[in-house]
Amino acid sequence: MIMQISAGQGPAECQMAVAKLFAALQKEYGELEILSDTAGAEKGCFDSIRFRTQQDLSGLEGTVLWISKSPFRKNCKRKNWYVDVSMIPEIEEIAEKQEYRIEKFHCGGKGGQHVNKVETGVRIIHIPTGIVAKSTEERSQFQNKQRAMEKLRKKLEDMRKEQKEKQAGSAWREHNRIIRGNPVRVYEGEGFVLRR
C-alpha cells in the first residue's frame, strides 16, 4: 500500500505536521519505506512524504488535524493545522520473461517465389497484458522475431511510463486536496499527542 501525507498549500506549520505525523506513524506501525519526500520551507519540515507499508492504513485516509500554537510565528492566533493522508494507486508490475506466446504465419506481399510458402511473419502476444507486436518486414523468421520482440519491449516500456505518470498525477491531485473539518485523527501540542 502506498500512502502520502501532504501539507497541500498550507504554511510551514502544516509542513511540520507532515513530519510529525510521519514520525508518529512510524512509531505506531513500525517500518515505513519512504518512496519520496519534498522538503518544506523550514528545516525538518516536509511539503509531502510518500511511503509504502505492508499494513492496511486505509483507515487513516482523510484529514488529520494538529492543534498547537505556531512554532514559527509567536503572535499567530491560528492553532488548527491540517494535513491530508491519501492512498496512492500502486504501479502494476509488468513481467516480461517467459510470459508471451509466439505465433508464426505466412507473409503476403512482394517476395517472389517463396512468398506464402514459408512462415516468416512473427506475432508475439504478451499474455499478462494482451499486448501484441508483430513483424513481417524481414525475409527471415529469426529477424522478424527479433524485430517483434523489440516492438513488444517498446510497448511495455511505454505502458510502464504511462502508469508512472498516472501515479504521479494522482499524488499531485491528492497533494492539493485538503478538506478541513471532520478529521480522522486529532493531535495536540508540540509533543504531537494523539487525542482521537
Side-chain angles (χ1 to χ4, degrees):
M1 167 177 282
I2 296 177
M3 304 290 289
Q4 177 175 272
I5 306 170
S6 172
Q9 305 301 313
E13 291 83 358
C14 293
Q15 295 171 353
M16 178 172 262
V18 168
K20 284 181 176 284
L21 179 58
F22 182 74
L25 293 177
Q26 264 192 319
K27 204 180 279 183
E28 186 178 343
Y29 293 102
E31 210 51 44
L32 304 177
E33 177 195 352
I34 294 179
L35 300 175
S36 67
D37 58 36
T38 306
E42 300 288 334
K43 188 178 178 192
C45 297
F46 292 93
D47 204 28
S48 70
I49 298 175
R50 200 179 323 168
F51 62 94
R52 176 179 278 123
T53 178
Q54 298 304 315
Q55 302 187 52
D56 182 9
L57 303 187
S58 56
L60 288 173
E61 192 169 24
T63 304
V64 172
L65 169 61
W66 178 36
I67 302 169
S68 176
K69 60 182 183 181
S70 171
F72 304 113
R73 300 175 281 173
K74 285 182 183 173
N75 299 324
C76 181
K77 291 181 180 171
R78 180 178 165 186
K79 288 187 178 175
N80 291 346
W81 314 104
Y82 294 92
V83 295
D84 178 69
V85 180
S86 303
M87 285 194 323
I88 305 298
E90 293 258 12
I91 295 175
E92 289 178 40
E93 274 302 309
I94 302 169
E96 283 184 52
K97 299 214 171 10
Q98 303 307 317
E99 294 198 7
Y100 47 82
R101 185 172 72 241
I102 298 173
E103 296 176 354
K104 298 158 189 140
F105 58 92
H106 296 289
C107 293
K110 297 173 191 169
Q113 61 190 15
H114 296 296
V115 81
N116 285 331
K117 290 183 184 172
V118 183
E119 292 182 330
T120 57
V122 175
R123 180 183 303 113
I124 302 176
I125 298 132
H126 186 247
I127 296 164
T129 60
I131 292 174
V132 177
K134 70 177 185 174
S135 176
T136 57
E137 294 93 8
E138 305 297 333
R139 289 186 66 158
S140 91
Q141 188 185 92
F142 177 75
Q143 289 174 315
N144 276 330
K145 182 179 172 186
Q146 283 185 312
R147 191 171 278 231
M149 275 306 279
E150 286 168 17
K151 289 178 182 179
L152 181 65
R153 282 194 194 101
K154 171 84 172 91
K155 286 181 178 186
L156 289 171
E157 189 53 44
D158 289 347
M159 188 181 200
R160 277 192 197 96
K161 211 179 283 183
E162 188 181 309
Q163 284 187 336
K164 278 186 179 175
E165 286 168 8
K166 211 181 274 184
Q167 186 186 49
S170 174
W172 178 248
R173 279 190 304 280
E174 293 300 334
H175 176 69
N176 289 310
R177 176 190 71 90
I178 291 187
I179 300 159
R180 284 149 180 77
N182 199 22
V184 292
R185 281 192 176 186
V186 177
Y187 290 86
E188 281 184 353
E190 288 191 36
F192 210 71
V193 179
L194 179 62
R195 292 295 177 220
R196 67 173 175 93

